[in-house]
Amino acid sequence: MSVSVEILDARPGHVTLLAELFAIIAADPSSRRFHPHPFTQADAARICSYHGNDRYVVLRVDDRFLAYGLLRGWDEGYAAPSLGIFVAPELRRRGASRLLMEHLHLVARLSGATQIRLKVYPDNISALKLYLSLGYRFSELLEAGQLVGTLEL
């Protein structure tokens, strides 16, 4: 069986598929750990028509969006963007998180960033293990109950 997988920048033609993924995010109990913005149809439309320095990407598997990632902060003037990802339950533990993060790392490097920042709740052990394996370093300080990690690019 052949499967098509690609990472795409969110574009105007993607609103429906992104809104469907946002509905998955909103319904997933683990999404309480991922809250960069609301996950509504209106936000899907806003992100798909976005024109700025921040990046919003999706992982498409066949005809569905099953993962979402972002690099934000450049529009506010930060040199180090903040990274965030969400992967649909059916793709977890299959390498999709690592693939999406490595893609975002490359995008950040090519965009001139020398560091990336992210936050993770201390009880999100699987995410924390992934981030450590990718080279993130975490401070002892908590920000809104989350560990702050940085990756030197």
Side-chain angles (χ1 to χ4, degrees):
M1 179 157 120
S2 177
V3 176
S4 174
V5 178
E6 60 185 328
I7 297 174
L8 306 164
D9 287 325
R11 297 282 184 239
H14 299 152
V15 174
T16 300
L17 289 172
L18 187 58
E20 289 171 1
L21 177 57
F22 280 6
I24 292 170
I25 295 171
D28 188 317
S30 71
S31 70
R32 68 174 176 75
R33 296 177 173 166
F34 183 61
H35 41 76
H37 56 72
F39 295 105
T40 65
Q41 174 89 27
D43 281 284
R46 178 184 57 79
I47 287 165
C48 288
S49 63
Y50 170 78
H51 298 289
N53 295 315
D54 294 344
R55 299 294 294 272
Y56 300 90
V57 300
V58 292
L59 178 72
R60 181 167 65 188
V61 178
D62 293 329
D63 59 351
R64 296 178 61 209
F65 288 173
L66 294 177
Y68 172 67
L70 52 89
L71 290 169
R72 294 191 326 175
W74 284 312
D75 285 345
E76 289 86 25
Y78 293 99
S82 292
L83 182 147
I85 65 165
F86 177 88
V87 174
E90 65 199 80
L91 273 190
R92 292 180 189 156
R93 304 200 194 309
R94 294 183 176 202
S97 296
R98 181 175 297 276
L99 175 67
L100 193 55
M101 290 193 68
E102 288 176 345
H103 174 84
L104 290 167
H105 293 166
L106 178 59
V107 168
R109 274 189 209 98
L110 294 175
S111 298
T114 58
Q115 187 181 74
I116 291 179
R117 178 181 194 272
L118 59 70
K119 292 190 278 187
V120 62
Y121 287 95
D123 65 342
N124 192 349
I125 302 301
S126 60
L128 196 50
K129 284 181 181 178
L130 171 64
Y131 303 154
L132 288 168
S133 77
L134 289 167
Y136 282 85
R137 302 234 190 278
F138 290 88
S139 68
E140 294 289 325
L141 299 174
L142 296 181
E143 187 176 305
Q146 298 176 80
L147 297 168
V148 176
T150 56
L151 175 70
E152 300 299 322
L153 298 174

